[in-house]
Amino acid sequence: MSTTLPATQPLLNSVFLLCLLATGAGALIAVLSGRLIRAVSGLALCCLGLAGLFYFLHSPFLALMEILIYVGAVCVTIVFAVMLAEPDEPARRGGALWLGSLSTAVAAGILVALYHLGARHAWPEPQTLTSVGSVRDIGKSLLTTYSMAFELISLALLAAIVGALAIARAGRTKP
């Protein structure tokens, strides 16, 4: 028995398709791009699409962690590393047009198959758990059982940020 109204089903299918397309397009941009910044942007788009898919799987905590960790931390760290690197132009790849076309066709086939699997078939109802792994339990354990590790990680991240700012302040000069 579905908990959504029948009139909203086409809208939900459209949002699911949008998340699926964002994941596939972001992955293609990340893999096929010749520039690193565009590849990181594709990775961020792919992770945002995955977060939407996690939300469709009734896991909002995983969706939020996908956005915070991968988009907010990993992609920003890669962009920061690119900003600190020397500005070299990437070497042009030639002769791999057929490989790009083949991978695009395979990715499009996978996208169509995932769409048909997700939008055309009935999804089972989510099972309710008795507060095992809920956000409240995770927060309570972070602030009681694992509070020392939580504080040490935050201090390590603060030291990493201060160190990265000190390195960035020196500029891109070669020794």
Side-chain angles (χ1 to χ4, degrees), residues 122-145:
W123 287 70
E125 287 294 319
Q127 299 175 354
T128 57
L129 299 175
T130 59
S131 76
V132 176
S134 68
V135 177
R136 171 178 261 153
D137 289 339
I138 293 171
K140 191 181 289 185
S141 66
L142 276 178
L143 295 176
T144 56
T145 308

mmCIF file of all heavy atoms in Angstrom, residues 122-145:
data_model
loop_
_atom_site.group_PDB
_atom_site.id
_atom_site.type_symbol
_atom_site.label_atom_id
_atom_site.label_comp_id
_atom_site.label_asym_id
_atom_site.label_seq_id
_atom_site.Cartn_x
_atom_site.Cartn_y
_atom_site.Cartn_z
ATOM 1 N N ALA A 122 7.099 -1.905 -8.996
ATOM 2 C CA ALA A 122 6.616 -1.529 -7.670
ATOM 3 C C ALA A 122 7.747 -1.658 -6.654
ATOM 4 O O ALA A 122 8.505 -2.621 -6.674
ATOM 5 C CB ALA A 122 5.461 -2.436 -7.262
ATOM 6 N N TRP A 123 7.838 -0.681 -5.785
ATOM 7 C CA TRP A 123 8.853 -0.684 -4.738
ATOM 8 C C TRP A 123 8.224 -1.235 -3.461
ATOM 9 O O TRP A 123 7.087 -0.918 -3.146
ATOM 10 C CB TRP A 123 9.357 0.729 -4.478
ATOM 11 C CG TRP A 123 10.239 1.249 -5.560
ATOM 12 C CD1 TRP A 123 9.861 1.589 -6.822
ATOM 13 C CD2 TRP A 123 11.620 1.472 -5.502
ATOM 14 N NE1 TRP A 123 10.926 2.020 -7.544
ATOM 15 C CE2 TRP A 123 12.020 1.957 -6.758
ATOM 16 C CE3 TRP A 123 12.573 1.327 -4.514
ATOM 17 C CZ2 TRP A 123 13.341 2.275 -7.031
ATOM 18 C CZ3 TRP A 123 13.877 1.657 -4.792
ATOM 19 C CH2 TRP A 123 14.250 2.125 -6.042
ATOM 20 N N PRO A 124 8.948 -2.035 -2.710
ATOM 21 C CA PRO A 124 8.383 -2.520 -1.445
ATOM 22 C C PRO A 124 8.299 -1.388 -0.431
ATOM 23 O O PRO A 124 9.087 -0.433 -0.485
ATOM 24 C CB PRO A 124 9.373 -3.598 -0.995
ATOM 25 C CG PRO A 124 10.648 -3.266 -1.683
ATOM 26 C CD PRO A 124 10.258 -2.591 -2.971
ATOM 27 N N GLU A 125 7.364 -1.511 0.475
ATOM 28 C CA GLU A 125 7.208 -0.508 1.526
ATOM 29 C C GLU A 125 8.405 -0.567 2.471
ATOM 30 O O GLU A 125 8.903 -1.649 2.772
ATOM 31 C CB GLU A 125 5.925 -0.764 2.318
ATOM 32 C CG GLU A 125 4.672 -0.414 1.558
ATOM 33 C CD GLU A 125 4.557 1.069 1.287
ATOM 34 O OE1 GLU A 125 4.870 1.879 2.191
ATOM 35 O OE2 GLU A 125 4.172 1.424 0.165
ATOM 36 N N PRO A 126 8.875 0.585 2.931
ATOM 37 C CA PRO A 126 10.013 0.568 3.858
ATOM 38 C C PRO A 126 9.599 -0.003 5.204
ATOM 39 O O PRO A 126 8.482 0.228 5.673
ATOM 40 C CB PRO A 126 10.405 2.040 3.973
ATOM 41 C CG PRO A 126 9.188 2.785 3.604
ATOM 42 C CD PRO A 126 8.448 1.934 2.618
ATOM 43 N N GLN A 127 10.491 -0.745 5.799
ATOM 44 C CA GLN A 127 10.217 -1.318 7.113
ATOM 45 C C GLN A 127 10.674 -0.339 8.176
ATOM 46 O O GLN A 127 11.741 0.267 8.063
ATOM 47 C CB GLN A 127 10.938 -2.645 7.271
ATOM 48 C CG GLN A 127 10.495 -3.676 6.264
ATOM 49 C CD GLN A 127 11.323 -4.942 6.364
ATOM 50 O OE1 GLN A 127 12.288 -5.014 7.110
ATOM 51 N NE2 GLN A 127 10.927 -5.949 5.613
ATOM 52 N N THR A 128 9.876 -0.181 9.197
ATOM 53 C CA THR A 128 10.237 0.734 10.273
ATOM 54 C C THR A 128 11.101 -0.003 11.277
ATOM 55 O O THR A 128 10.803 -1.122 11.684
ATOM 56 C CB THR A 128 8.983 1.289 10.972
ATOM 57 O OG1 THR A 128 8.212 0.194 11.458
ATOM 58 C CG2 THR A 128 8.145 2.112 10.010
ATOM 59 N N LEU A 129 12.189 0.619 11.654
ATOM 60 C CA LEU A 129 13.095 0.052 12.641
ATOM 61 C C LEU A 129 12.816 0.690 13.988
ATOM 62 O O LEU A 129 12.361 1.823 14.079
ATOM 63 C CB LEU A 129 14.545 0.296 12.228
ATOM 64 C CG LEU A 129 14.970 -0.320 10.895
ATOM 65 C CD1 LEU A 129 16.382 0.112 10.557
ATOM 66 C CD2 LEU A 129 14.889 -1.825 10.966
ATOM 67 N N THR A 130 13.112 -0.015 15.029
ATOM 68 C CA THR A 130 12.864 0.497 16.372
ATOM 69 C C THR A 130 14.070 1.274 16.873
ATOM 70 O O THR A 130 14.822 0.806 17.711
ATOM 71 C CB THR A 130 12.529 -0.662 17.336
ATOM 72 O OG1 THR A 130 13.655 -1.551 17.332
ATOM 73 C CG2 THR A 130 11.281 -1.394 16.903
ATOM 74 N N SER A 131 14.290 2.420 16.319
ATOM 75 C CA SER A 131 15.328 3.385 16.711
ATOM 76 C C SER A 131 16.745 2.835 16.667
ATOM 77 O O SER A 131 17.602 3.294 17.387
ATOM 78 C CB SER A 131 15.031 3.977 18.098
ATOM 79 O OG SER A 131 15.348 3.047 19.112
ATOM 80 N N VAL A 132 17.000 1.832 15.859
ATOM 81 C CA VAL A 132 18.367 1.342 15.697
ATOM 82 C C VAL A 132 18.994 2.114 14.545
ATOM 83 O O VAL A 132 18.557 2.020 13.412
ATOM 84 C CB VAL A 132 18.381 -0.179 15.405
ATOM 85 C CG1 VAL A 132 19.796 -0.649 15.153
ATOM 86 C CG2 VAL A 132 17.758 -0.933 16.546
ATOM 87 N N GLY A 133 20.008 2.892 14.831
ATOM 88 C CA GLY A 133 20.680 3.658 13.794
ATOM 89 C C GLY A 133 19.947 4.924 13.404
ATOM 90 O O GLY A 133 20.218 5.477 12.348
ATOM 91 N N SER A 134 19.033 5.397 14.235
ATOM 92 C CA SER A 134 18.329 6.632 13.903
ATOM 93 C C SER A 134 19.257 7.819 14.132
ATOM 94 O O SER A 134 20.314 7.703 14.764
ATOM 95 C CB SER A 134 17.065 6.773 14.752
ATOM 96 O OG SER A 134 17.404 6.995 16.102
ATOM 97 N N VAL A 135 18.866 8.954 13.632
ATOM 98 C CA VAL A 135 19.682 10.161 13.769
ATOM 99 C C VAL A 135 19.815 10.530 15.245
ATOM 100 O O VAL A 135 20.887 10.952 15.700
ATOM 101 C CB VAL A 135 19.075 11.308 12.950
ATOM 102 C CG1 VAL A 135 19.850 12.590 13.140
ATOM 103 C CG2 VAL A 135 19.023 10.939 11.482
ATOM 104 N N ARG A 136 18.751 10.333 16.014
ATOM 105 C CA ARG A 136 18.798 10.634 17.450
ATOM 106 C C ARG A 136 19.833 9.750 18.157
ATOM 107 O O ARG A 136 20.608 10.223 18.981
ATOM 108 C CB ARG A 136 17.423 10.446 18.069
ATOM 109 C CG ARG A 136 17.462 10.538 19.582
ATOM 110 C CD ARG A 136 16.106 10.394 20.182
ATOM 111 N NE ARG A 136 15.672 11.753 20.454
ATOM 112 C CZ ARG A 136 14.439 12.157 20.497
ATOM 113 N NH1 ARG A 136 13.469 11.318 20.272
ATOM 114 N NH2 ARG A 136 14.141 13.399 20.760
ATOM 115 N N ASP A 137 19.843 8.450 17.835
ATOM 116 C CA ASP A 137 20.811 7.538 18.456
ATOM 117 C C ASP A 137 22.237 7.869 18.055
ATOM 118 O O ASP A 137 23.153 7.799 18.885
ATOM 119 C CB ASP A 137 20.499 6.085 18.075
ATOM 120 C CG ASP A 137 19.244 5.569 18.736
ATOM 121 O OD1 ASP A 137 18.833 6.141 19.770
ATOM 122 O OD2 ASP A 137 18.665 4.597 18.224
ATOM 123 N N ILE A 138 22.437 8.221 16.789
ATOM 124 C CA ILE A 138 23.783 8.593 16.338
ATOM 125 C C ILE A 138 24.249 9.860 17.049
ATOM 126 O O ILE A 138 25.384 9.937 17.524
ATOM 127 C CB ILE A 138 23.804 8.773 14.808
ATOM 128 C CG1 ILE A 138 23.578 7.427 14.116
ATOM 129 C CG2 ILE A 138 25.125 9.376 14.348
ATOM 130 C CD1 ILE A 138 23.367 7.527 12.629
ATOM 131 N N GLY A 139 23.377 10.852 17.145
ATOM 132 C CA GLY A 139 23.734 12.090 17.843
ATOM 133 C C GLY A 139 24.019 11.864 19.312
ATOM 134 O O GLY A 139 24.971 12.426 19.874
ATOM 135 N N LYS A 140 23.207 11.019 19.951
ATOM 136 C CA LYS A 140 23.416 10.733 21.371
ATOM 137 C C LYS A 140 24.741 10.010 21.597
ATOM 138 O O LYS A 140 25.479 10.329 22.525
ATOM 139 C CB LYS A 140 22.262 9.878 21.904
ATOM 140 C CG LYS A 140 22.246 9.754 23.417
ATOM 141 C CD LYS A 140 21.093 8.886 23.892
ATOM 142 C CE LYS A 140 19.791 9.611 23.691
ATOM 143 N NZ LYS A 140 18.649 8.867 24.230
ATOM 144 N N SER A 141 25.067 9.055 20.726
ATOM 145 C CA SER A 141 26.331 8.336 20.902
ATOM 146 C C SER A 141 27.534 9.226 20.575
ATOM 147 O O SER A 141 28.589 9.083 21.188
ATOM 148 C CB SER A 141 26.351 7.067 20.060
ATOM 149 O OG SER A 141 26.340 7.387 18.692
ATOM 150 N N LEU A 142 27.384 10.163 19.637
ATOM 151 C CA LEU A 142 28.483 11.083 19.346
ATOM 152 C C LEU A 142 28.763 12.011 20.513
ATOM 153 O O LEU A 142 29.908 12.399 20.745
ATOM 154 C CB LEU A 142 28.174 11.908 18.098
ATOM 155 C CG LEU A 142 28.481 11.285 16.752
ATOM 156 C CD1 LEU A 142 28.069 12.226 15.632
ATOM 157 C CD2 LEU A 142 29.935 10.933 16.619
ATOM 158 N N LEU A 143 27.738 12.381 21.253
ATOM 159 C CA LEU A 143 27.930 13.332 22.348
ATOM 160 C C LEU A 143 28.111 12.661 23.703
ATOM 161 O O LEU A 143 28.335 13.350 24.699
ATOM 162 C CB LEU A 143 26.760 14.309 22.389
ATOM 163 C CG LEU A 143 26.663 15.205 21.157
ATOM 164 C CD1 LEU A 143 25.427 16.074 21.207
ATOM 165 C CD2 LEU A 143 27.903 16.054 21.000
ATOM 166 N N THR A 144 28.011 11.336 23.778
ATOM 167 C CA THR A 144 28.244 10.640 25.049
ATOM 168 C C THR A 144 29.389 9.642 24.904
ATOM 169 O O THR A 144 30.479 9.865 25.389
ATOM 170 C CB THR A 144 26.964 9.923 25.528
ATOM 171 O OG1 THR A 144 26.507 9.040 24.506
ATOM 172 C CG2 THR A 144 25.870 10.918 25.876
ATOM 173 N N THR A 145 29.174 8.552 24.217
ATOM 174 C CA THR A 145 30.161 7.480 24.125
ATOM 175 C C THR A 145 31.398 7.904 23.348
ATOM 176 O O THR A 145 32.524 7.624 23.766
ATOM 177 C CB THR A 145 29.531 6.246 23.449
ATOM 178 O OG1 THR A 145 28.314 5.918 24.118
ATOM 179 C CG2 THR A 145 30.462 5.065 23.500
#
